[in-house]
Amino acid sequence: MTAEKDKENANRSRDQILHELEVHQLELEMQNEALREAQTELEASRDRYMDFYDHSPVGFVTLNHDGLINGINLTGAALLSVARNELPHRRFSSYIAAEDRDRWRCHFQKLLTSRERSTCELLFRHGDMPHFYAQLDCMCLQGAGKDPEVRIVMTDITERKKMEASCAESRHLLQTIIDTAPVRIFWKDKASRYLGCNPTFAQDAGVMTPADIVGRDDDQLSWKAQAELYRTDDRQVMDTGTPKLSYDELSTTPEGKTIWLRTSKVPLRNRLDEIIGMLGIYQDVTELKQVESILRANEAKYRAIIDATPIPLVLDDAKGNITYLNRAFIHKFGYTLDEIPNLDAWWPRAYPDPKYRQWVIESWYRHMSEAIRSNEDFIPLELNIRCKDGRVCTVMVGAASLGNGFDSTHLVVLYDITERKQAEADLRIAAATFETQDAILITDADSNIVRVNRAFTEITGYSAAEVLGKNPRIMSSGRQSRAFYIEMWQQLLHNGAWAGEICDKRKNGEVYPKWMSVTAIKDERQLTTHYVAIFSDITARKRAEEETHRLAFYDVLTRLPNRRLLLDRLSSALTASARRNDYGAVLFIDMDRFKLINDMLGHDYGDLLLIEVGARIKSCVREMDTVARFGGDEFVVLIEGVSTVLDPALRKVALLAEKIRAALALPYKLNEHEQQSSPSIGVSLFHGNHEALEILIEHADMAMYQVKNSGRNAVCFFDPAMQRNVSLHDALRDDMHHILARQQLQLHYQIQVDKSNRPLGAEAFLRWIHPERGVILAEQFIPIAEESTLIIDIDRWVLQAACQQLSLWSRDDRTIDLTLTINISAKQFSQADFVDKIAEMLNLHQVEPARLKLELSERVVLADIGRVIEKIYALKNMGVRLSMDNFGTMLSSLSYLKHLSSDQLKINQKIVQGISLEGSDAQLVETVANLAKFLDLTIFAEGVETEAQRVFLKDQNCSAYQGYLFGKPVSIEEFEALLGKL
């Protein structure tokens, strides 16, 4: 029973487990489905983002800190007219027009420095692509790496630029339009006081100039009898906002004569569309009225007058036949009576558009009927008539019956108002143009302000009410001298105009620069009636000019004068030195170990170091002296007026140079890091302007490099011998280009022996067999070759020659076991395929790898310790032997030696030659020997010249020797002869 119960429990337990597994599987499937839905939504969201990014109406561009394009959307690529896949890693500035490129570079550098959002507008032009203007909204962000990135939103503003240019042209025409309009023009404020007029209106009003009418109302003028009627019309236009056009009214002339005017008035609005006054225009139509009256009274009597009048006139009868056209009509419109014998022929010619023609015909007959029915004058019609030559004239058409009723003859008057309509349009433009972005100030002849525009208030802070009637001197800053204003007024009085830059003061007391032009307005007697001043705030432009000057003549990082300003001051200093007959000096300063600090800590720390260097140099010199950053880590100091005598001048400059050296050699606290650097200083004196400034700097530069070559952290004055060395350097560099093609290289061999003076091998020394200079040692020309990639070709030649010689030695029992040592340059060792080239050359010449020994200097090893170790292990695995050359000459050797797998340490010949039982060099050799024993390395000594040196080295367990005690470097023939004697 128990067994059956246990079996039943087991089955139940198994079923329960299976059920739980099925439930768990179902839950997993539900979770997977939820994950798949989330992934689908995520991918859809990403697609929506990419669609927005690529098809946005603006371009999105990402630049790296060098100004190269990292990313761009389709819109940005389309703006640049370049395929999107061609843009990454292109320089963004190459698509900017040449005239805007420098401004972009300055903007870009400022953006990287300030990290503030900024905007600029640039012209883009690249190759044959169409140019366009774009607004760039930029911000600088930290990129995925340590370098910043610049994000740009690029918006095409070409059309906006075109509109701005068009507006500027319209403003230019403003004054001409107002003064030359052929009709009377005037404008009033809301109280019906005159704000201005054109010269012809002023003449009708009986005043000398338009300015004389400003501030008056109609009660104060000759037509005061009609003043209330005029004000009623003014209020109607201003209150309703509706123009009142081409209506006739009476007026009284200054002589007391009553005349008829045909007037149009429109509301004058400001930028906010608020009515601020009224603009009017009229013509004297008294003659027209008289003609109409005379013709109605007696058609026949005045036929001759009608034909002679300059106004186009037409006679037609009740049947619509045209019976007469005067000469003015034919001249104006071009049609003869034969071409338009009746109105049916006239309508389609004058009004070709059917709809407009229908409206004209209906309006004509309606006005005619109303005039006959009411026995009143015909209400004029303003019509656009097509002339025979295609011109369209705007005319005011009036008519009068020369009899009674519809059966009478009609006189039709067509008054050409084309010019008047154009003048009205021009006046509307003129009224709007007065509210320009430039401030406008108008004074009377006594310099009292009579009018200002809105821009004046925006720039100065003064409202019109605060300045009207006052002299502009209330805005004077006091920075211009009395002589300045005297010269300004002299130009105004003699030339009628003045333009220039001036500093004024705003209402809040702020002084600002502005560019102002002043024009004297004269009447017909050439008497000045007004002065019109137009000015703009040039604060932003002045700041931009100052920034441009700073960027052009000062280093952005250190704020010191740059190369350009230094050369300018040096040129002036040479001239002054010649005039004063005194000495001056140029100090060329280069910071030691700067590249190492820059590479190790980064450019930010390098920049901090350069800023501190500039500050320390300035603290050592006089205020009159110039400290300039010449480029990179190079600084130049210009010292003037040192002394009129050479010896004191030399002493003073030497003391100053040493003071600078000591200051620059002190430790530098760069944030959390303390670094050590020192200067190499070259000095070149000058006396007068006998030498070109470029030569002076070149001499100081040579002296500086002499310090570099002599151990650094010192001061050196230029010596003519340096120039000779430079000339020799240049000559050897030029000749070296043909050194391989002309087979001018040769290896010499210096024997290497063991403790028992038995030959172990040789070290190969390179010689240049120059056709003119003879044998040139490697130390004379290899440094020159290392200035270019020629050193790599020379190193490969040495490697091939050494392998060829080892191959030859392998065929002779006397030399079959000899090793051959060659030196490896830093450039050759840094080549990525260096190890492969060694293996390739050994295989080519069938040389045992152990017989080739490569000497690595500490400069090679310390260049990139990580990669050096990789290559050393590869060479060791191949079987090639290695030796650390010049060991003990650099303090950093011991910190890296444990990581290297060298076979032996080669003690530098300078240390060997300095050995004495009591000397420090002997102690150094003992230390190296102990270190080699600890690291299981052999010791090799070079430069052994005496038996005492050999014995001492032997006691220190030195296993190999090389030096003049055993043999000097010789040709292969002499070397093999030497082997025969041993």
Side-chain angles (χ1 to χ4, degrees):
M1 291 295 293
T2 303
E4 291 177 357
K5 188 175 183 179
D6 292 339
K7 183 177 181 180
E8 181 182 352
N9 290 335
N11 291 334
R12 187 182 301 112
S13 178
R14 183 172 63 252
D15 294 338
Q16 184 178 0
I17 292 173
L18 289 174
H19 175 72
E20 292 175 351
L21 288 174
E22 289 174 352
V23 172
H24 183 65
Q25 181 179 2
L26 181 60
E27 291 176 347
L28 288 176
E29 290 176 354
M30 293 174 65
Q31 292 175 1
N32 289 336
E33 180 62 26
L35 288 174
R36 283 191 293 272
E37 291 177 356
Q39 182 177 2
T40 301
E41 179 60 24
L42 183 61
E43 291 174 351
S45 176
R46 182 195 62 192
D47 292 340
R48 288 193 296 272
Y49 169 79
M50 291 306 297
D51 285 343
F52 170 79
Y53 175 81
D54 281 334
H55 302 291
S56 174
V58 296
F60 294 110
V61 185
T62 302
L63 306 182
N64 66 10
H65 68 287
D66 289 325
L68 301 180
I69 298 174
N70 277 349
I72 187 168
N73 68 345
L74 291 176
T75 304
L79 286 174
L80 298 180
S81 298
V82 180
R84 181 182 184 180
N85 58 356
E86 297 178 7
L87 286 170
H89 310 300
R90 293 281 189 90
R91 188 163 296 281
F92 182 68
S93 60
S94 66
Y95 298 96
I96 298 173
E99 56 267 34
D100 278 358
R101 207 165 287 160
D102 288 341
R103 186 160 61 87
W104 163 248
R105 293 191 183 105
C106 295
H107 185 84
F108 184 78
Q109 291 301 321
K110 184 177 180 182
L111 182 65
L112 292 176
T113 303
S114 66
R115 304 293 179 91
E116 295 179 354
R117 292 176 180 266
S118 60
T119 300
C120 64
E121 295 180 1
L122 301 173
L123 176 64
F124 283 76
R125 184 188 297 115
H126 181 70
D128 297 329
M129 76 177 192
H131 72 271
F132 69 98
Y133 286 92
Q135 175 176 304
L136 305 185
D137 297 288
C138 312
M139 63 180 178
C140 184
L141 301 173
Q142 190 66 33
K146 65 179 181 180
D147 294 323
E149 288 184 344
V150 173
R151 306 287 173 82
I152 300 174
V153 177
M154 185 164 60
T155 307
D156 188 349
I157 59 170
T158 305
E159 291 302 318
R160 193 193 81 192
K161 286 290 185 180
K162 291 180 180 178
M163 292 176 63
E164 291 175 354
S166 177
C167 290
E169 184 177 356
S170 298
R171 287 195 300 269
H172 179 69
L173 298 175
L174 167 63
Q175 195 61 43
T176 303
I177 292 171
I178 294 176
D179 290 341
T180 61
V183 294
R184 283 75 167 173
I185 304 168
F186 59 94
W187 52 97
K188 300 179 179 180
D189 63 15
K190 295 198 72 172
S192 287
R193 290 189 297 267
Y194 284 95
L195 297 174
C197 66
N198 66 348
T200 54
F201 182 94
Q203 185 177 356
D204 284 0
V207 297
M208 297 297 295
T209 67
D212 295 332
I213 204 169
V214 175
R216 299 188 184 185
D217 57 25
D218 293 307
D219 286 317
Q220 298 172 292
L221 299 174
S222 61
W223 48 73
K224 58 186 177 181
Q226 294 86 22
E228 185 58 36
L229 179 62
Y230 292 171
R231 281 193 292 271
T232 301
D233 292 338
D234 294 346
R235 286 194 294 271
Q236 178 185 343
V237 170
M238 290 186 287
D239 292 342
T240 64
T242 303
K244 186 175 183 181
L245 304 175
S246 298
Y247 62 93
D248 294 345
E249 57 185 1
L250 292 173
S251 182
T252 304
T253 67
E255 296 79 18
K257 181 180 178 181
T258 300
I259 60 174
W260 279 97
L261 306 178
R262 186 148 292 158
T263 306
S264 292
K265 293 181 179 180
V266 296
L268 191 63
R269 300 177 185 271
N270 61 14
R271 187 182 300 175
L272 300 177
D273 204 35
E274 299 169 338
I275 295 176
I276 59 172
M278 179 275 300
L279 176 69
I281 182 172
Y282 74 81
Q283 286 182 311
D284 185 351
V285 295
T286 304
E287 290 185 8
L288 177 61
K289 288 286 188 179
Q290 292 173 349
V291 168
E292 290 174 349
S293 176
I294 293 172
L295 288 177
R296 280 195 301 269
N298 193 339
E299 177 183 358
K301 183 177 179 179
Y302 294 104
R303 175 67 63 92
I305 297 176
I306 293 174
D307 196 52
T309 185
I311 302 173
L313 300 174
V314 179
L315 289 176
D316 66 1
D317 60 20
K319 296 180 180 180
N321 297 313
I322 298 176
T323 60
Y324 175 76
L325 301 174
N326 72 344
R327 287 195 298 267
F329 180 95
I330 297 172
H331 177 75
K332 172 65 67 176
F333 302 108
Y335 301 111
T336 65
L337 189 60
D338 293 336
E339 293 173 312
I340 50 172
N342 49 52
L343 291 179
D344 291 338
W346 164 251
W347 299 130
R349 289 177 179 268
Y351 314 105
D353 181 72
K355 291 183 178 180
Y356 184 65
R357 181 168 64 245
Q358 184 63 33
W359 176 85
V360 170
I361 294 172
E362 292 175 357
S363 299
W364 168 261
Y365 286 114
R366 184 174 63 254
H367 282 226
M368 183 63 72
S369 299
E370 291 175 356
I372 294 173
R373 187 182 305 109
S374 61
N375 199 27
E376 296 289 341
D377 291 338
F378 181 92
I379 299 175
L381 282 172
E382 183 178 312
L383 303 175
N384 294 322
I385 295 177
R386 173 70 62 86
C387 303
K388 185 176 180 179
D389 60 6
R391 292 179 297 107
V392 175
C393 292
T394 302
V395 298
M396 189 67 70
V397 180
S401 295
L402 301 180
N404 296 318
F406 286 96
D407 296 332
S408 62
T409 298
H410 305 125
L411 174 65
V412 181
V413 182
L414 298 94
Y415 193 83
D416 186 1
I417 60 171
T418 304
E419 292 183 356
R420 192 192 82 186
K421 297 296 289 185
Q422 183 61 46
E424 290 175 353
D426 292 343
L427 276 178
R428 288 192 293 271
I429 296 174
T433 307
F434 185 74
E435 297 302 334
T436 178
Q437 291 182 350
D438 291 337
I440 299 177
L441 177 149
I442 302 175
T443 73
D444 58 20
D446 296 326
S447 297
N448 297 313
I449 300 173
V450 297
R451 189 175 181 192
V452 296
N453 68 347
R454 186 183 299 106
F456 173 90
T457 300
E458 293 173 352
I459 292 176
T460 66
Y462 288 101
S463 67
E466 291 174 317
V467 297
L468 290 180
K470 297 182 180 178
N471 192 289
R473 71 171 62 96
I474 64 173
M475 296 176 288
S476 174
S477 66
R479 293 191 178 183
Q480 272 73 37
S481 64
R482 184 170 180 272
F484 174 87
Y485 289 106
I486 291 175
E487 182 181 354
M488 176 197 292
W489 279 104
Q490 286 177 345
Q491 287 193 32
L492 271 174
L493 294 175
H494 288 88
N495 304 327
W498 176 88
E501 183 179 318
I502 188 171
C503 285
D504 265 356
K505 185 167 59 176
R506 306 187 206 272
K507 181 180 178 181
N508 62 8
E510 177 189 354
V511 177
Y512 69 101
K514 66 183 183 183
W515 181 265
M516 182 169 68
S517 61
V518 184
T519 303
I521 307 300
K522 300 180 182 294
D523 60 15
E524 62 275 4
R525 295 178 298 170
Q526 294 303 301
L527 297 176
T528 299
T529 61
H530 291 81
Y531 294 101
V532 177
I534 301 176
F535 62 88
S536 58
D537 186 347
I538 60 172
T539 302
R541 193 191 79 189
K542 295 291 288 183
R543 289 174 181 168
E545 289 174 353
E546 292 171 359
E547 179 66 13
T548 300
H549 181 272
R550 187 181 66 80
L551 292 174
F553 293 101
Y554 289 86
D555 176 54
V556 176
L557 177 64
T558 62
R559 306 287 181 174
L560 296 175
N562 60 13
R563 181 193 298 254
R564 180 178 178 184
L565 183 55
L566 169 70
L567 294 178
D568 183 65
R569 290 186 180 178
L570 179 55
S571 177
S572 301
L574 294 178
T575 302
S577 174
R579 184 175 64 251
R580 298 190 301 259
N581 192 32
D582 60 11
Y583 286 89
V586 174
L587 281 65
F588 201 106
I589 304 171
D590 183 271
M591 295 305 296
D592 305 329
R593 296 183 70 247
F594 173 75
K595 185 177 185 302
L596 180 61
I597 294 173
N598 213 29
D599 293 343
M600 183 171 60
L601 299 180
H603 293 291
D604 291 342
Y605 287 91
D607 290 346
L608 291 175
L609 176 64
L610 293 175
I611 293 171
E612 178 63 19
V613 168
R616 292 188 186 184
I617 297 175
K618 286 194 70 175
S619 69
C620 296
V621 300
R622 301 168 299 179
E623 189 70 27
M624 63 179 287
D625 299 326
T626 297
V627 179
R629 185 184 177 196
F630 208 61
D633 61 338
E634 296 175 337
F635 295 82
V636 174
V637 180
L638 170 61
I639 310 297
E640 298 185 60
V642 179
S643 176
T644 56
V645 182
L646 177 59
D647 287 344
L650 284 170
R651 287 195 298 273
K652 290 180 181 179
V653 172
L655 289 172
L656 175 61
E658 178 57 28
K659 179 181 179 182
I660 294 174
R661 186 208 63 76
L664 297 182
L666 295 174
Y668 292 84
K669 184 68 174 177
L670 308 177
N671 291 337
E672 70 278 9
H673 298 279
E674 182 173 300
Q675 292 293 320
Q676 193 74 35
S677 184
S678 59
S680 295
I681 304 177
V683 183
S684 176
L685 289 180
F686 62 84
H687 184 224
N689 54 3
H690 305 298
E691 294 191 45
L693 54 91
E694 295 87 355
I695 298 300
L696 284 172
I697 294 178
E698 183 179 335
H699 287 173
D701 187 38
M702 290 180 189
M704 182 274 292
Y705 273 105
Q706 183 65 29
V707 176
K708 291 282 189 185
N709 296 332
S710 301
R712 310 185 181 193
N713 193 20
V715 178
C716 177
F717 281 76
F718 171 75
D719 188 310
M722 296 179 187
Q723 183 67 51
R724 291 193 294 273
N725 290 337
V726 170
S727 299
L728 176 61
H729 174 281
D730 293 342
L732 291 179
R733 183 189 58 203
D734 294 340
D735 294 344
M736 199 177 296
H737 291 299
H738 310 291
I739 194 171
L740 293 173
R742 296 175 181 175
Q743 299 181 354
Q744 295 175 346
L745 293 179
Q746 189 179 97
L747 290 182
H748 281 202
Y749 302 84
Q750 186 174 30
I751 194 168
Q752 297 172 338
V753 300
D754 62 10
K755 293 180 180 181
S756 303
N757 285 355
R758 289 191 299 267
L760 296 174
E763 179 176 359
F765 288 91
L766 189 59
R767 298 291 185 262
W768 179 5
I769 312 303
H770 196 284
E772 297 175 359
R773 304 180 188 273
V775 178
I776 301 177
L777 301 181
E779 53 265 30
Q780 293 178 280
F781 70 88
I782 287 299
I784 302 175
E786 288 179 332
E787 296 173 2
S788 67
T789 57
L790 181 61
I791 186 63
I792 297 175
D793 297 330
I794 293 176
D795 283 339
R796 288 176 179 171
W797 183 92
V798 171
L799 176 61
Q800 182 175 2
C803 289
Q804 287 175 343
Q805 188 59 55
L806 284 172
S807 179
L808 292 174
W809 281 350
S810 66
R811 304 169 192 170
D812 189 333
D813 292 338
R814 295 181 306 159
T815 57
I816 192 172
D817 294 324
L818 294 182
T819 63
L820 185 56
T821 303
I822 61 173
N823 288 277
I824 301 299
S825 71
K827 282 192 176 181
Q828 184 188 20
F829 193 83
S830 66
Q831 297 298 302
D833 61 348
F834 172 71
V835 176
D836 294 336
K837 289 294 183 183
I838 295 290
E840 178 184 333
M841 201 63 67
L842 291 173
N843 291 333
L844 177 64
H845 296 283
Q846 296 297 304
V847 174
E848 179 69 27
R851 296 179 59 211
L852 178 65
K853 184 190 298 183
L854 305 180
E855 280 195 355
L856 307 177
S857 68
E858 289 184 284
R859 186 161 66 94
V860 172
V861 170
L862 296 178
D864 188 345
I865 188 66
R867 294 187 179 180
V868 167
I869 291 174
E870 291 180 7
K871 291 182 180 180
I872 287 177
Y873 276 116
L875 292 170
K876 291 286 291 180
N877 291 335
M878 191 189 304
V880 176
R881 301 176 65 187
L882 302 171
S883 176
M884 179 70 74
D885 191 17
N886 295 333
F887 184 77
T889 60
M890 294 180 69
L891 295 176
S892 57
S893 298
L894 298 180
S895 63
Y896 291 111
L897 188 58
K898 64 181 180 179
H899 297 294
L900 304 174
S901 185
S902 175
D903 297 296
Q904 63 181 201
L905 298 181
K906 190 172 183 180
I907 301 177
N908 183 265
Q909 62 178 346
K910 292 182 180 179
I911 298 175
V912 172
Q913 292 170 4
I915 291 176
S916 67
L917 294 179
E918 295 82 13
S920 60
D921 286 334
Q923 295 176 359
L924 180 57
V925 171
E926 291 177 357
T927 302
V928 172
N930 292 331
L931 179 63
K933 182 177 180 181
F934 175 76
L935 297 174
D936 196 22
L937 300 174
T938 60
I939 300 176
F940 187 103
E942 65 177 358
V944 180
E945 297 183 354
T946 65
E947 182 64 23
Q949 292 171 350
R950 188 191 70 81
V951 171
F952 178 81
L953 291 166
K954 184 177 180 180
D955 292 341
Q956 301 303 321
N957 201 28
C958 182
S959 59
Y961 307 85
Q962 179 182 334
Y964 276 29
L965 180 62
F966 313 103
K968 63 181 181 179
V970 294
S971 65
I972 186 60
E973 294 80 10
E974 293 176 278
F975 178 76
E976 291 180 345
L978 176 62
L979 290 177
K981 298 177 183 179
L982 297 177

